[in-house]
Amino acid sequence: MPDFCPVPFIEGYITGTCLIIAIGPQNLLVLKQGIQKNYTYSTALGFALCDAILILLGVAGLGSIFSSNETLLFSAKWGGAIF
């Protein structure tokens, strides 16, 4: 049985914690909608579905497709920078 290496676990835990703690525009909108009691569940469900789709695309290897095609990589870089 291989030895347990805690480094990937610790790095993943710190990364996940930083992503949860950071209040970005998405989290701010969910909090605002919750405080106002205005479309709370539909807002949270919409963002959860979008996050799940983006995670699935990342796991499926979309990054390798973008990195292998110069045009897609260029448009992704500049599209993200403009956004």
Side-chain angles (χ1 to χ4, degrees), residues 8-21:
F9 175 78
I10 293 169
E11 288 176 355
Y13 180 78
I14 291 171
T15 302
T17 303
C18 291
L19 290 172
I20 290 171
I21 290 173

Side-chain angles (χ1 to χ4, degrees), residues 62-63 65-83:
L62 189 64
I65 294 171
F66 273 73
S67 63
S68 66
N69 186 326
E70 290 295 323
T71 305
L72 285 175
L73 185 61
F74 180 81
S75 63
K77 283 181 185 177
W78 285 103
I82 290 169
F83 177 74

Side-chain angles (χ1 to χ4, degrees), residues 25-44 47:
Q26 177 181 348
N27 295 339
L28 192 61
L29 179 64
V30 170
L31 288 171
K32 179 181 169 185
Q33 295 293 81
I35 290 169
Q36 293 176 347
K37 296 181 181 174
N38 190 16
Y39 303 109
T40 306
Y41 293 111
S42 59
T43 302
F47 283 133

